[in-house]
Amino acid sequence: MTYEQAMSRYGTDKPDLRYGLTMGDVTKHVTGCGFRVFSDAPMVKGIRVPEGSRISNSRVKPKGDVCSEAQAAGAAGIVALRVNENGELEGAKPVIEGLGDDAKVLLLKEMEAQPGDLLLFAAGVPSIVNKALDRVRQFLAKELQLVPENVHALAWITEWPMFEVNEEENRLEALHHPFTAPNPQDIAAGVPLSQARAIAYDLVYNGVEIGGGSLRIYRRDVQSEVFKAIGLSEEQAQEKFGYLLESLELGAPPHGGIAFGIDRLAMLLAGVPSIRDVIAFPKTTAAQCALTGAPATVAQDQIEALHLKVTRSEKEEQQV
């Protein structure tokens, strides 16, 4: 499954494929409609919930638990519509009247809606819409008991973008890391580096990433362009990664790899909620080792031998 397919249908790059509740993008059908929440939004996506009567109206309204899940992910809320036995949309009057007949028909088709379905929509910037609906999807799967037991759903997620936008700093940053090789087909086709796909891949098991890797850049000119794309000047790139650029110039073979989270995989296979249940010497939530008692007090002569100085806050000094 490509990254684009995963984000489009599931709103996340690590989808749980053990159940449905896939998403549909209706943005093009509602742009310019009379319902301003939809018409002005960069993205409008929805989840189709079969047998929607299992979810009451109070749960999808503000302060309802389903709506609260979307809000916890940054969305203003969700818009709920139901499909009646005649295959027509029902919902709040401003939404139904604002959509208009043509948009309603296209929306039903895009969502592959059936009588009895509940349709839940989020509107806004893509990052928030996807996070909100992903959270709602996972919540509903548990609430409606849609997650089957003893089912193993594996998926490779491929064709990742090279970069994502850091909205706070208004710049590009590497989606995996800045040493991931761009897709040579994109480069050969003249696709700008900022829009190119990366040769990167993740392995997802039951909605949890258990491994990831990539092919690495092995040419200095390509690596320099990537550094430039993420906002590093030539001087900064040389200062931080001069040794790498020099080694690539001298010659490096194409190379890559993958790393697996063995402890995370063991956790999933054992059916336990935390990796602390499967690793040999787990730390407590306070980052202490129950076996050795670490971190422990260090003797003053050891501190002096290492030429270290321990500083304390005023409150800590009063407690000594």
Side-chain angles (χ1 to χ4, degrees):
M1 180 184 300
T2 67
Y3 174 89
E4 183 178 355
Q5 291 170 333
M7 296 301 297
S8 175
R9 298 296 285 172
Y10 301 98
T12 177
D13 54 32
K14 43 183 180 294
D16 191 337
L17 304 181
R18 291 175 293 174
Y19 53 90
L21 300 180
T22 54
M23 302 172 190
D25 189 334
V26 300
T27 309
K28 61 183 179 182
H29 304 312
V30 298
T31 299
C33 74
F35 182 51
R36 294 290 298 274
V37 173
F38 283 0
S39 64
D40 297 340
M43 172 178 278
V44 182
K45 288 178 72 172
I47 296 176
R48 182 178 75 88
V49 185
E51 300 178 46
S53 60
R54 294 176 290 176
I55 303 295
S56 66
N57 287 333
S58 63
R59 299 183 69 181
V60 296
K61 291 180 179 179
K63 296 185 179 179
D65 57 351
V66 178
C67 184
S68 295
E69 289 294 323
Q71 291 172 327
I78 52 176
V79 175
L81 298 174
R82 296 185 185 274
V83 185
N84 65 23
E85 59 184 12
N86 297 320
E88 299 173 342
L89 285 175
E90 294 180 347
K93 187 176 180 180
V95 185
I96 297 300
E97 292 185 352
L99 284 173
D101 293 338
D102 291 343
K104 285 188 286 188
V105 171
L106 293 170
L107 186 149
L108 286 166
K109 183 178 180 181
E110 186 72 42
M111 296 298 298
E112 300 179 357
Q114 301 295 323
D117 287 349
L118 170 65
L119 307 179
L120 301 174
F121 295 94
V125 296
S127 59
I128 296 299
V129 168
N130 284 322
K131 287 179 183 177
L133 291 182
D134 171 41
R135 184 161 179 149
V136 168
R137 177 177 181 265
Q138 294 185 51
F139 177 76
L140 289 176
K142 294 176 182 176
E143 286 291 300
L144 300 176
Q145 298 181 341
L146 301 178
V147 185
E149 296 181 1
N150 302 318
V151 172
H152 308 288
L154 286 162
W156 284 102
I157 308 301
T158 62
E159 298 187 19
W160 292 67
M162 282 286 292
F163 306 101
E164 63 182 344
V165 177
N166 184 321
E167 296 178 356
E168 293 183 358
E169 300 181 13
N170 192 29
R171 66 176 182 84
L172 294 178
E173 59 184 18
L175 194 56
H176 261 232
H177 54 70
F179 315 108
T180 303
N183 190 304
Q185 295 178 348
D186 290 349
I187 301 302
V191 175
L193 186 62
S194 60
Q195 301 173 23
R197 296 167 296 170
I199 309 180
Y201 33 83
D202 275 3
L203 183 59
V204 177
Y205 169 69
N206 290 356
V208 179
E209 178 193 337
I210 60 171
S214 66
L215 296 189
R216 302 300 175 87
I217 296 170
Y218 61 94
R219 288 171 39 187
R220 176 170 182 150
D221 58 337
V222 176
Q223 186 66 76
S224 296
E225 286 299 313
V226 170
F227 286 153
K228 181 179 178 181
I230 61 175
L232 290 181
S233 65
E234 290 186 17
E235 293 76 15
Q236 290 173 320
Q238 186 63 38
E239 179 184 353
K240 295 180 178 181
F241 302 106
Y243 64 92
L244 173 64
L245 294 172
E246 183 177 355
S247 66
L248 295 180
E249 185 174 6
L250 293 173
H255 58 287
I258 186 170
F260 291 98
I262 302 300
D263 48 3
R264 190 178 301 178
L265 181 58
M267 173 195 76
L268 294 168
L269 293 175
V272 294
S274 170
I275 61 172
R276 294 172 60 240
D277 295 320
V278 297
I279 59 179
F281 304 109
K283 304 295 186 291
T284 67
T285 53
Q288 296 177 320
C289 179
L291 178 66
T292 64
T297 303
V298 180
Q300 185 61 35
D301 58 341
Q302 290 180 301
I303 293 176
E304 293 175 356
L306 295 171
H307 302 284
L308 298 176
K309 181 179 180 181
V310 177
T311 59
R312 299 184 178 94
S313 65
E314 293 183 4
K315 184 177 179 180
E316 289 173 328
E317 288 287 355
Q318 293 173 358
Q319 295 174 345
V320 174

